[in-house]
Every structure is written in structure tokens, then in C-alpha cells.
Amino acid sequence: MKEKEVIQGFSNNLNARNRKGVIWHIIFQASTLVGIVALIALMLNIVNSAFGYVAYEARVDPDTFTVDGVPLEEQNKEQLLTLLQSELSRGAYNKLNNEEPFEERSRENVFQLIVERIIRPKVVAVWDLWPSLTQVDEIRATVAQDFPTAELDFVSWLTYDFVTRPQTSEALTAGVRTAILGSLWTIFFTILLAFPVGVGAAIYLEEYASDNWFNRIIQTNINNLAGVPSIVYGILGLAIFVRTLEPLTSGEIFGLVDPTTANGRTVLSAGLTLGLLVLPIIIINAQEAIRAVPRSLRNASFGVGATKWQTVWSHVLPNAMPGILTGTILAVSRAIGETAPLVVVGASTAISFDPESPFSKFTTLPIQIYQWTARPQAEFQSLAAASILVLLVLLLSLNASAVLLRNRFSRRF
Amino acid sequence: MTTNNNPEPTYVIETQDLEIYYGTFKAVTDVNMKVEQNKITAIIGPSGCGKSTLLRAFNRMNELYAGTSIKGKITFNGQDIYAKEVDPVEVRYRIGMVFQKPNPFPKSIYENIAWTARIHGYKGNMDELVENSLQQAALWDEVKDKLHQSGLSLSGGQQQRLCIARAISIKPEVILMDEPASALDPIATLKIEELMQELKKNYTIVIVTHNMQQAARASDYTAMMMLSGEGERSGTMIEFNETKTIFTRPADKRTEDYVTGRFG
Ligand SMILES: Nc1ncnc2c1ncn2[C@@H]1O[C@H](COP(=O)(O)OP(=O)(O)O)[C@@H](O)[C@H]1O
Ligand SMILES: [Mg+2]
């Protein structure tokens, strides 16, 4: 194009302006890149610990159970059962039989029991995924030299069994079922408290509360509460739910005291504590969503003689629902990953039985992860990594269901 | 209106020394007008002179905006609608409203009307009511095959007629229309005007418009509003009369300038 004549007082600075644009473009792209790289590094780190070679030794040599020259692995179910009966105490044997009668168990299952209960392998060395892939020969050499009786296996710490087994102190047989169920129970009560109360408060503040100093103070407080450190909520939960409301949270007033319960340190207390923690987040997001409902829609409803409640219920809420659910997803994601307040409220360190009622003792996935990472042995780091993957999957599936729910709402006319 | 054989016309809405405030700002001053039954009353005037404000005062929609208040009196069938014992919801049920921007509910065409009827406890035949309302709004033929499609899928003019159908489905006595055709093309505008002529047989209509021809064509009475006063300028009604008088022999010079397009 022929250059425009420069008018006095103006300068032809288009090139400079474009250059500036390009620079900012690069800066923004770089910021995104930093985020993505950090995320990938995190995932690689977790995956690196969750898979790899493990060397383990039997505490009891399986060769001692060879019968008539038939090694343990090749014995039939009857032989294995005889062995189990002779090696376990009568009580332990009967307990297993009560859980699932031996007649109904498969040979593989019985063999598994023998490995877990009698052979009791113990981990002697663990390698991460990267060395397991790149230095197989060195690993084999090390094991042959240092642990001549050890078996070397490539394992995935994250297995179906890991997800379905209860917690144990033995790394090779430990599972996270207890923690998953604890997390689900806890989050259930969190939503049960925070969603209706949060949305209700948001409706009140947006639709009913008049604009006076009192309500402004309440609003300011809610905004500030969203920034209070979570440990403070733990202390609050300890004071309110565990101590003051103990008869309620331990199930005492319902006559339902769980024999395992320790004084109100229950899934119910934990859920309600996290409920308080995310309440301000839900309120603030729901308020935003309600505020974003266009005035024309309210006018339409009031204009045909609808009451405020009819307007709120039929128009404001359905329209705000996608936004409210987005806020709830955020809040629940936060709650599910919380550790500190639950430690304060009294999450159990080592329990192997599932929570079965609101009044059960509990542990949750983050607590479990925290405990395992705190142990010095490498195999527990691997267990922690596997639990982190479980936690991420749990989080993603909860979010996915909330997103589906949200899309149902936003598929509006 | 010489065709009117009734020597004593019935006035549905009357105002006395009406003033309307947004907080301390007086948006409308000194309005005295009477809205006659089964007639179309137009409110005209330059923008910002308080036409919408006045119209919203007639069914207490103003109260949905923070800080509004009125002085003076508005009566509906002789009853002061701002009296303590009057529920604004009841007022809006009896005095319906159609807005400048078409605002169907984000629901199906059918539900737009059905919901409106249902909230007022309608227990009769819903299909019939929906059909009747759409027919009265001259929309039935266009939408009868897609009643369960979204109201928002219609064209602007159709949406506005849906809003009219929705308003009349609950049989109000008065319909307030705030520039109902300003967002529409000329053909859709004409349809709305024709519709108003049909509707006035059963309803009383008050319409705000900035379109002189529309007021001249469609209305029986015209109220001329204008900003007046020094400093804090406030809208006031400078003339109110039969439409043909306003447009042929206006009493006020400012009205004459405005209706002939000689105003600013
Ligand atoms: N919600 C409101 N709050 C405060 N002032 C308003 C509000 N709505 C309208 N006004 C003011 O009232 C005056 C009249 O407005 P309006 O009734 O909308 O005029 P018109 O409909 O004639 O264009 C204007 O000065 C406008 O700024
Ligand atoms: Mg207006």
C-alpha cells in the first residue's frame, strides 16, 4: 500500500505497535508453557514412582513347603488348604473362612493367602520407572549380588488390588479402599452441608437482603472467610463438631454408636468441617452466577405477576445453575484434596476397616498419601504415588459427573 | 372519538400529581392523566424524559429497581395501587407488560404460556389456553407446528408477539407496552400495530413509542412528555389529548415542534 501522508502531530508508528503486540504475545505464550511444563513434570514424577522394579525376599522360604517333590506353586487347592490350616492359628483360619468359605474360594485365591500370610514377602529394594527402563542389567546385577535370595519383579504399584484392598502395614499388600471410601463419605457430607446452605445463602444475599450496613458486613466477612487458611477450619471443626456436638457426630443421640468410634472423630465431623471450609467459596460463586442472570428475564417473570419466589425458583436458579455447579466443582475439588483440617479433626492413622456409617472412624486419600510419604522406605513413596494417581482419578471422575450435570442444565432452550 | 356512544367514558388508570424518584433524583414530575378503557394511549417524547419510568409506575415494576419511590397517586379502577394493603404482584397480574427488548422465557413456546398460566393457578385445558393466546397474538399459524421449540428460536417480531401472547394468557385488564416495536423491522412493526388494534377490543393498552407515525396511526390518545425545569431536569407531561388533536392542533408549541420533527 502506498504510505499514508504523515499528518502533522501524528507519527507513523504502526510497526512499533505491531512489534509490541508480538512481544506480549510471546510473553503470554511463555507463561502458558511454564504452566504446562510444570504440570508434565508433576505427572512424570508421580508416574515415575508408581511403576518399576521391586526386589523382595520371602520371610519364610517357600521351598520348605515342597511336598513329595511338588513345589508350592504347583500344588492343588486341597494341598494348599492343608498347608494354610497347619500354618495359621485356628482363629485366623476360621476368620478367613467366615469372610468367604474356603469351598467357594479359587485355588489362586488360596495361593494368594498363603503368600500373604505365610511366605510374607518383604520388599528389600525398589527402583523408579526410569532406572527400571534404562538400567535393567545394573539392577539385576545389584540384586544378584546384594540379595541373592530375592525375587525381582517389574510391578505397577497401582493395580486393581491396590484400589480394592484395605490398608495394611505391608507395602506389597497395602491398598487404599479404606481411604477411598473415607474420602467419598467425607465429600458426601461436605456437599450435603455446603451445597444447600451455600446456594440458600447466596439466594438470600442476592435476592432478599437489602443493601444496608449489616448485610454489607456479612458480605465482607464471607469474602474474607474464603481466604482463611484451612487449618483454622480444622480447629473450628474440632471445637464444634468433635467436641461440642459430639453426641450428634458420634451418633450417640441416635443410639447408633459405632463400636470403633473415637469420640466424634467421625466421617460426619470431617465432612461437616470441610463443608464449612468450602461454604464461602460456594456462596461467592453462586452469588456471581445469580447476579449474572439477565435483568430482562427477571422483568419477564415479574411482568406476568410472578412472585419473587416463583421468579427465583423457575428462572433465576435454573439459569444460574451452570455457574453454581462450576463453583461447586471448584469447591469440592478443593475439599477432596484437603489434609490439614482433617488431621486436626482427628483422621485415623491406621485403620483397615471400611467406614460403614456417618459415625465411623475415617481416613482419606490425602491423609493416606501424607502418611505414606512421611515414611522413610522407598516402597511407601511408590504407594503414595499410586494413591496420588487414585486421588486424581477420583477427582476427575467427580468433576466429570458434575460437568455432565452442568451441561444438562445449560442445554437450555 | 365520535363513534363512542357512551357519554361517560370509563377510566382504568388515573394519576394525580404523580412524581417518580430514583433515590433523590426526580425523574418524572406532575403527571396527571387518565387512561380510558379499550383505548390505546400513547406516551411520546424524546429519550430520557421518563416515559419508561412512568409506564413502569403503572404496574409497580419500578420497585424492582433499587431506591425508587413515588409521590402523588395512581389509581386502577379507583383503587390506589400504592396503598399499603395492595400487593404489587396482584397489580402486575392485572396490568401486564411487554418490554422493549423481546424477552421470552428460555423455555418452549408452549411453556412460555403454560408456566405463566400455571403460576396463577390455572387448572383448565392448557392446550386450549395456549392456542387461544397464540391466536389472539396472531402467532398461532406461524408456530402451531413447533410449540415445543424454544421461544428464543423465533424471530424478533415473533418473540415479541409471543411475549404479548404470554401477557394476555392470564387475561389482564391493561397491557403496558414499552417501545414494543423499536427492536423490530418495519414489517414486524406493522404486525404489532395491527395486533394492537385487535387487542384493544378486549384490553386497554398504554404504549410508549418514539415513533411519531406509530403514535399517530395506532393510538386514540397521546401524552406528550418532555424534560423541563432548570438544573435538575425532570420529565413532565406537557400535553395530553386525543391523538388527532395532538398531531393536528397541538396546544403547546413544543409538542408541535416535536411531532413535526422540528425538535433538536
Ligand atoms: N434504574 C434507574 N436508576 C436511576 N435512574 C434511572 C433509572 N432508569 C431511568 N433513570 C433515569 O430516569 C430518567 C428517565 O429515564 P427513562 O424513563 O428510561 O426515559 P425514557 O424511557 O423516556 O427514555 C433518565 O434520566 C434516566 O437516566
Ligand atoms: Mg425508555
Side-chain angles (χ1 to χ4, degrees):
Chain A
M1 217 191 300
K2 187 169 163 284
E3 238 173 72
K4 185 172 184 261
E5 217 172 291
V6 176
I7 302 163
Q8 200 197 347
F10 292 84
S11 59
N12 190 350
N13 64 352
L14 183 58
N15 284 341
R17 283 188 283 153
N18 280 340
R19 219 174 307 121
K20 209 168 189 175
V22 169
I23 291 172
W24 280 110
H25 179 143
I26 292 170
I27 291 176
F28 294 143
Q29 211 159 29
S31 321
T32 316
L33 207 65
V34 169
I36 291 174
V37 167
L39 209 63
I40 291 176
L42 179 81
M43 281 315 295
L44 284 180
N45 188 20
I46 294 171
V47 169
N48 195 31
S49 307
F51 305 90
Y53 274 109
V54 174
Y56 53 90
E57 280 174 348
R59 286 199 178 85
V60 175
D61 187 356
D63 291 346
T64 58
F65 301 122
T66 306
V67 179
D68 303 334
V70 182
L72 188 63
E73 298 91 76
E74 287 164 23
Q75 293 175 10
N76 62 24
K77 186 177 161 190
E78 278 62 44
Q79 287 169 307
L80 294 174
L81 273 179
T82 318
L83 173 63
L84 196 63
Q85 200 162 13
S86 64
E87 290 293 319
L88 287 183
S89 73
R90 183 188 297 264
Y93 185 81
N94 286 342
K95 185 155 176 279
L96 286 173
N97 193 35
N98 283 344
E99 282 170 10
E100 195 184 348
F102 284 114
E103 301 91 71
E104 288 171 21
R105 293 182 185 244
S106 65
R107 182 198 169 274
E108 279 61 44
N109 185 283
V110 176
F111 184 76
Q112 196 65 39
L113 282 175
I114 289 177
V115 172
E116 277 173 26
R117 297 302 190 94
I118 301 169
I119 313 286
R120 292 193 293 133
K122 76 172 193 288
V123 175
V124 289
V126 177
W127 288 269
D128 283 345
L129 181 58
W130 182 244
S132 298
L133 292 178
T134 55
Q135 305 162 11
V136 184
D137 296 336
E138 285 93 325
I139 292 175
R140 284 191 199 291
T142 315
V143 173
Q145 189 186 347
D146 296 353
F147 314 103
T149 60
E151 290 241 16
L152 185 66
D153 260 343
F154 186 91
V155 300
S156 158
W157 291 92
L158 177 63
T159 57
Y160 176 75
D161 283 345
F162 176 70
V163 175
T164 52
R165 273 191 306 234
Q167 192 195 47
T168 65
S169 55
E170 203 63 59
L172 283 174
T173 55
V176 286
R177 186 181 74 203
T178 323
I180 292 175
L181 290 172
S183 276
L184 290 176
W185 272 95
T186 309
I187 220 65
F188 171 75
F189 288 110
T190 302
I191 296 173
L192 201 65
L193 170 72
F195 186 75
V197 174
V199 175
I203 292 174
Y204 173 76
L205 288 169
E206 282 306 309
E207 300 288 331
Y208 292 91
S210 52
D211 186 26
N212 56 30
W213 63 268
F214 181 73
N215 288 328
R216 277 201 292 272
I217 288 177
I218 290 182
Q219 183 72 61
T220 312
N221 273 309
I222 290 172
N223 296 345
N224 288 332
L225 279 177
V228 169
S230 56
I231 189 101
V232 178
Y233 283 96
I235 293 164
L236 185 73
L238 181 67
I240 300 181
F241 300 123
V242 178
R243 301 255 162 81
T244 314
L245 296 179
E246 193 200 316
L248 178 76
T249 52
S250 65
E252 208 176 297
I253 59 169
F254 307 109
L256 285 173
V257 180
D258 192 300
T260 63
T261 296
N263 317 327
R265 294 160 193 279
T266 58
V267 277
L268 182 60
S269 297
L272 297 180
T273 303
L274 292 185
L276 285 189
L277 170 74
V278 299
L279 193 55
I281 307 176
I282 292 189
I283 294 178
I284 291 170
N285 282 294
Q287 277 187 286
E288 297 265 332
I290 289 171
R291 221 174 295 148
V293 174
R295 163 149 242 147
S296 63
L297 184 56
R298 291 165 202 269
N299 277 346
S301 177
F302 285 120
V304 293
T307 60
K308 179 165 256 175
W309 172 242
Q310 287 169 329
T311 304
V312 168
W313 180 252
S314 297
H315 300 296
V316 175
L317 271 186
N319 259 273
M321 204 36 88
I324 294 176
L325 287 177
T326 307
T328 308
I329 293 171
L330 279 174
V332 168
S333 306
R334 163 139 189 229
I336 217 168
E338 276 296 344
T339 320
L342 296 187
V343 172
V344 178
V345 170
S348 304
T349 38
I351 48 170
S352 55
F353 42 82
D354 299 337
E356 273 164 354
S357 80
F359 314 116
S360 299
K361 276 169 125 177
F362 71 99
T363 187
T364 65
L365 275 170
I367 298 269
Q368 186 72 75
I369 292 165
Y370 168 70
Q371 280 160 4
W372 275 336
T373 43
R375 314 230 345 208
Q377 300 95 320
E379 59 267 32
F380 288 103
Q381 308 307 318
S382 296
L383 283 177
S387 323
I388 289 172
L389 290 176
V390 172
L391 179 62
L392 289 179
V393 169
L394 184 68
L395 201 61
L396 287 180
S397 44
L398 277 182
N399 281 1
S401 42
V403 169
L404 286 181
L405 196 67
R406 185 182 67 190
N407 290 347
R408 275 186 61 102
F409 270 105
S410 40
R411 202 187 39 186
R412 67 174 93 128
F413 275 108
Chain B
M1 298 282 114
T2 47
T3 49
N4 191 347
N5 300 327
N6 190 346
E8 276 292 305
T10 326
Y11 296 111
V12 185
I13 295 176
E14 291 176 63
T15 71
Q16 273 168 34
D17 303 327
L18 182 64
E19 296 179 356
I20 309 172
Y21 295 83
Y22 289 107
T24 55
F25 167 60
K26 179 153 70 164
V28 170
T29 321
D30 281 337
V31 171
N32 288 287
M33 69 182 287
K34 293 177 174 181
V35 175
E36 198 184 323
Q37 196 168 38
N38 296 106
K39 291 282 186 296
I40 298 175
T41 304
I43 302 175
I44 61 170
S47 59
C49 71
K51 304 182 296 294
S52 300
T53 304
L54 175 63
L55 198 72
R56 287 198 297 260
F58 289 161
N59 71 344
R60 297 185 63 171
M61 285 292 284
N62 268 347
E63 278 157 54
L64 304 175
Y65 299 79
T68 53
S69 59
I70 71 153
K71 279 192 186 144
K73 202 165 158 188
I74 304 177
T75 59
F76 172 61
N77 294 334
Q79 158 79 53
D80 178 359
I81 59 167
Y82 282 83
K84 263 206 183 62
E85 70 275 13
V86 175
D87 186 341
V89 173
E90 173 80 12
V91 174
R92 291 175 209 135
Y93 173 38
R94 311 272 297 268
I95 306 179
M97 192 153 204
V98 176
F99 298 84
Q100 180 164 2
K101 197 170 140 262
N103 58 355
F105 296 131
K107 295 174 184 288
S108 71
I109 295 169
Y110 186 95
E111 263 309 294
N112 260 276
I113 292 164
W115 185 84
T116 305
R118 231 181 288 124
I119 61 165
H120 292 288
Y122 180 74
K123 295 265 160 47
N125 184 333
M126 192 60 86
D127 293 347
E128 216 165 79
L129 180 79
V130 170
E131 179 174 347
N132 272 340
S133 309
L134 288 169
Q135 227 139 27
Q136 282 190 62
L139 188 59
W140 174 250
D141 292 331
E142 289 158 67
V143 302
K144 63 175 181 244
D145 299 323
K146 47 178 183 179
L147 289 178
H148 295 283
Q149 284 181 23
S150 167
L152 295 175
S153 68
L154 299 173
S155 75
Q158 290 174 325
Q159 286 189 21
Q160 197 60 298
R161 277 179 283 145
L162 177 58
C163 292
I164 293 173
R166 183 177 69 191
I168 59 186
S169 68
I170 50 173
K171 316 254 175 319
E173 287 154 62
V174 182
I175 305 171
L176 307 175
M177 299 184 171
D178 191 350
E179 309 198 20
S182 70
L184 307 182
D185 65 75
I187 294 173
T189 302
L190 207 64
K191 275 218 171 96
I192 300 273
E193 284 177 23
E194 284 166 10
L195 178 57
M196 280 165 36
Q197 298 306 323
E198 251 342 275
L199 290 176
K200 83 176 198 185
K201 293 174 189 155
N202 297 313
Y203 305 94
T204 305
I205 297 175
V206 184
I207 176 174
V208 166
T209 175
H210 60 223
N211 180 334
M212 287 316 105
Q213 289 89 342
Q214 186 170 58
R217 272 196 306 261
S219 70
D220 303 305
Y221 293 94
T222 298
M224 174 71 209
M225 289 186 74
M226 193 137 289
L227 285 174
S228 71
E230 293 301 314
E232 280 256 302
R233 287 160 64 86
S234 178
T236 190
M237 187 161 295
I238 58 170
E239 198 168 350
F240 177 51
N241 213 327
E242 287 190 7
T243 297
K244 59 174 189 238
T245 316
I246 294 271
F247 280 89
T248 53
R249 290 170 277 112
D252 195 298
K253 176 79 171 65
R254 288 170 297 177
T255 309
E256 186 178 349
D257 287 348
Y258 189 77
V259 300
T260 54
R262 249 178 285 145
F263 218 93

